Amino acid sequence: MLQIDGLGHAYAGHPVLRDVDLTVRRGELVSIVGPSGCGKSTLLRCVAGLTAPARGTIRIDGRPVAGVPGGLAVVFQEYGRSLLPWLTVRDNVALPLRRRGGTRAQRRAAAASALDAVGLAAVAARRPWQLSGGMQQRVAIARALAFRPSLLLMDEPFGSVDAQTREDLEDLLLTVRGPEMTILFVTHDIDESVYVGDRVVVLNGSPAGVVADLPVTLPTRGEQIATREQAEFVRLRAEVGRQVRKA
Amino acid sequence: MSVASAASRPALAAGRLAAVVARRWAVAVALVAAWEIVTRRRGDVFFPPPSAIVARMHELWFSGPATRLWLTPAATADLLPSLGRMAAGLAGALLAGVTLGVALGRSPRTLAYLDPLLQFGRSVPPPTLVPVFVVLLHLGTTMQVTSIVSGAVWPILLNAADGARSVDPVQTDTARVFGLSATDRLRTIILPSALPKIFAGLRLSLSLALILMVFSEMLPGTANGIGFQLIDAQSRSDLPTTWAAVALLGILGYLLNTLLLGVERRALRGHDATRGGERP
Ligand SMILES: Nc1ncnc2c1ncn2[C@@H]1O[C@H](COP(=O)(O)OP(=O)(O)OP(=O)(O)O)[C@@H](O)[C@H]1O
Ligand SMILES: [Mg+2]
């Protein structure tokens, strides 16, 4: 589905990414972790076609990415600024669906069910700036999910919510993902990367490259506490932590 | 809570409102009163007392029948054409200013090339172009409306360009990612982002339009309008009418500005909390 070869990028001569290789199968959920400022958001921007990489190629379904690929949804790290303050929460979620066709009523229904899934049905008629940071983040997630993307890029999407909501959202993500939805999930939470990911890719170094690409094979999945107690989970978490901290 | 206190609350609020209004207007009222006293004492024909001016305004424009909103035929003959020209001029300036401004704001390179020209256009004192339009278009409504547009378009254009340029890049990225159509981008991102600036420009344009409206009506060959009244009364040395027209223009400017502020507040209500927007 997604193939990144020798990707490199620099901002004003300051190298950020170097020789990033990554292949993602359709329907896979890949966690990306790495120290702050190492270039995770930059990598997502390149995949999204928002930033043209200085070097390397990105292919989606074999075709090189030039511009924003279709069927893409992004939950931006600056989630609050990505919502339009003059639209209601519902209209924010429904806006991208216009491109998907369907009637206005259908779009509103899709928006309503996505908002319901993130627990925000009650604030659909409010404006984003009337919500807390964590609620805004959930609106951005609802907007991406309602879009039913084939490629979903999430940049620290659960960073501003409380622990309980975070676990609920992690489980929601695992429920809504399907064989047709490929997900890149950037997080700085090592536990989370192992919990949600099929694979954990660690970016590190300066300029950063892929220093580890660990498949997650957990015997059982889906229940927060039990999953996190498994020996395999603990082992993976320790391994990812070592790779992230490695200077 | 007792019934009595609930009942007295509206009265209390009304009282407080009256107090605020009284305080705000106290100075103005005192100054007008002083003006009245001084002008009456002096008896100068060039400076009639405010009461005489108000009486003349009433007699000229507002002593009509209630069925016609108390407007006299003179009021409809002079006020309406003036207001009509101003409205047409402002509408033209708004349309042209927003269209050009947003287009320029979204293409930084064109804006950079045209910037010196735009600064020049804005710096030309608006009334100086009126004689040019007189030659080009002859006297009449077309010339007057064109004059108003030519002066009032600049603040709107420059502000709209500035507003359209300063759209939050995260919003632009969002639009690109979700593949919003050009119309959707314009309608849901660019115009709303530019709206506060457009209103700021519109407020400036409003006063320019008022100036140009009067100025273009003061030219020889005009047959109606407040500017015409003003110049006509002056030629007849009718000082109370001259002053009445001046006062009317002041009131008109004040009312239109208040109206615009009201529209602006409504239009920007959804915008966001950083502007001190309360819950609607
Ligand atoms: N637009 C930009 N212009 C210049 N430098 C930039 C720009 N965006 C990012 N950088 C730099 O590139 C590096 C990587 O930034 P990036 O946002 O990709 O990091 P990140 O891994 O997402 O960090 P975080 O975990 O804090 O979000 C940082 O050193 C940052 O200073
Ligand atoms: Mg980042």
Side-chain angles (χ1 to χ4, degrees):
Chain A
M1 158 80 189
L2 174 68
Q3 197 181 345
I4 302 173
D5 288 306
L7 184 79
H9 194 67
Y11 287 110
H14 182 79
V16 174
L17 294 174
R18 191 193 60 196
D19 283 338
V20 175
D21 298 317
L22 185 64
T23 304
V24 181
R25 286 192 313 278
R26 179 176 308 281
E28 214 174 7
L29 198 171
V30 176
S31 297
I32 299 174
V33 286
S36 179
C38 76
K40 303 181 293 294
S41 298
T42 305
L43 176 61
L44 288 197
R45 288 187 64 85
C46 291
V47 173
L50 294 172
T51 299
R55 262 185 309 284
T57 55
I58 301 172
R59 285 197 195 83
I60 290 177
D61 295 328
R63 280 190 301 276
V65 168
V68 179
L72 172 76
V74 178
V75 177
F76 287 93
Q77 191 167 12
E78 305 90 347
Y79 54 89
R81 282 166 59 202
S82 82
L83 300 172
L84 303 177
W86 37 82
L87 296 186
T88 61
V89 164
R90 185 193 295 116
D91 289 343
N92 263 287
V93 175
L95 180 63
L97 307 179
R98 288 168 60 85
R99 204 169 136 242
R100 291 275 154 116
T103 66
R104 193 176 143 79
Q106 283 169 332
R107 291 196 296 267
R108 283 174 81 92
S113 82
L115 282 169
D116 193 37
V118 298
L120 289 181
V123 299
R126 296 227 216 142
R127 314 249 178 215
W129 46 268
Q130 296 170 323
L131 309 182
S132 71
M135 291 161 96
Q136 292 176 9
Q137 197 161 33
R138 281 185 278 157
V139 177
I141 293 166
R143 178 173 64 184
L145 293 181
F147 193 64
R148 305 205 164 281
S150 52
L151 178 60
L152 172 60
L153 309 180
M154 305 179 93
D155 201 345
E156 307 200 7
F158 308 149
S160 299
V161 298
D162 63 288
Q164 179 59 50
T165 310
R166 187 178 189 127
E167 292 184 357
D168 292 345
L169 289 174
E170 287 165 5
D171 290 331
L172 173 71
L173 184 64
L174 296 179
T175 329
V176 299
R177 63 174 293 204
E180 291 303 313
M181 198 190 288
T182 309
I183 305 173
L184 294 190
F185 182 90
V186 166
T187 176
H188 57 250
D189 184 322
I190 291 164
D191 262 47
E192 183 171 81
S193 71
V194 177
Y195 184 77
V196 299
D198 300 325
R199 272 160 69 196
V200 179
V201 167
V202 183
L203 283 186
N204 210 340
S206 179
V210 175
V211 296
D213 187 344
L214 308 162
V216 178
T217 45
L218 294 172
T220 57
R221 271 223 196 232
E223 204 279 316
Q224 285 276 353
I225 295 167
T227 306
R228 289 172 200 258
E229 275 173 344
Q230 293 169 50
E232 176 65 4
F233 186 94
V234 175
R235 187 192 69 75
L236 273 166
R237 183 176 62 188
E239 177 60 17
V240 173
R242 258 193 298 280
Q243 296 293 342
V244 171
R245 271 175 215 112
K246 203 164 65 177
Chain B
M1 185 199 303
S2 76
V3 179
S5 79
S8 69
R9 200 182 298 154
L12 216 80
R16 206 172 303 144
L17 184 70
V20 168
V21 170
R23 211 174 313 136
R24 205 177 277 179
W25 285 88
V27 176
V29 169
L31 285 177
V32 172
W35 181 13
E36 178 81 30
I37 292 166
V38 171
T39 45
R40 275 197 196 195
R41 287 251 175 88
R42 300 281 308 266
D44 192 328
V45 285
F46 296 110
F47 293 98
S51 57
I53 297 172
V54 170
R56 178 58 60 91
M57 289 175 75
H58 177 256
E59 171 200 332
L60 273 176
W61 296 307
F62 304 113
S63 52
T67 48
R68 302 193 52 199
L69 292 168
W70 295 279
L71 292 175
T72 60
T76 25
D78 282 315
L79 270 171
L80 290 189
S82 285
L83 286 176
R85 286 170 197 141
M86 213 179 137
L90 265 182
L94 190 63
L95 192 70
V98 170
T99 311
L100 285 173
V102 167
L104 286 176
R106 296 315 294 165
S107 47
R109 196 172 306 168
T110 321
L111 185 61
Y113 280 127
L114 289 184
D115 193 53
L117 218 60
L118 295 176
Q119 297 302 336
F120 174 80
R122 180 185 59 173
S123 307
V124 172
T128 52
L129 274 177
V130 175
V132 178
F133 293 128
V134 171
V135 174
L136 288 179
L137 300 166
H138 309 292
L139 295 161
T141 303
T142 316
M143 179 278 289
Q144 288 159 333
V145 172
T146 310
S147 303
I148 296 173
V149 173
S150 76
V153 75
W154 298 104
I156 299 177
L157 194 159
L158 292 167
N159 274 281
D162 198 28
R165 192 178 42 182
S166 49
V167 174
D168 190 322
V170 180
Q171 289 177 4
T172 324
D173 285 347
T174 307
R176 285 176 66 191
V177 160
F178 288 109
L180 294 196
S181 66
T183 16
D184 276 350
R185 278 179 214 211
L186 188 68
R187 199 175 53 85
T188 59
I189 297 186
I190 297 168
L191 282 180
S193 298
L195 206 56
K197 288 265 178 176
I198 291 174
F199 269 110
L202 194 55
R203 280 204 300 271
L204 293 172
S205 295
L206 182 69
S207 45
L208 283 175
L210 192 66
I211 292 171
L212 284 160
M213 182 263 281
V214 177
F215 185 81
S216 65
E217 287 174 353
M218 280 162 60
L219 296 173
T222 315
N224 58 16
I226 306 171
F228 168 74
Q229 275 267 323
L230 186 63
I231 211 80
D232 184 55
Q234 181 246 321
S235 70
R236 290 184 282 105
S237 300
D238 179 355
L239 265 299
T241 303
T242 312
W243 281 106
V246 171
L248 182 68
L249 286 168
I251 292 170
L252 205 58
Y254 177 80
L255 286 181
L256 289 175
N257 199 50
T258 309
L259 184 74
L260 184 59
L261 282 175
V263 172
E264 176 176 351
R265 199 163 305 136
R266 277 193 77 88
L268 299 184
R269 199 171 42 181
H271 261 58
D272 70 31
T274 55
R275 288 179 50 91
E278 322 85 300
R279 297 267 306 275

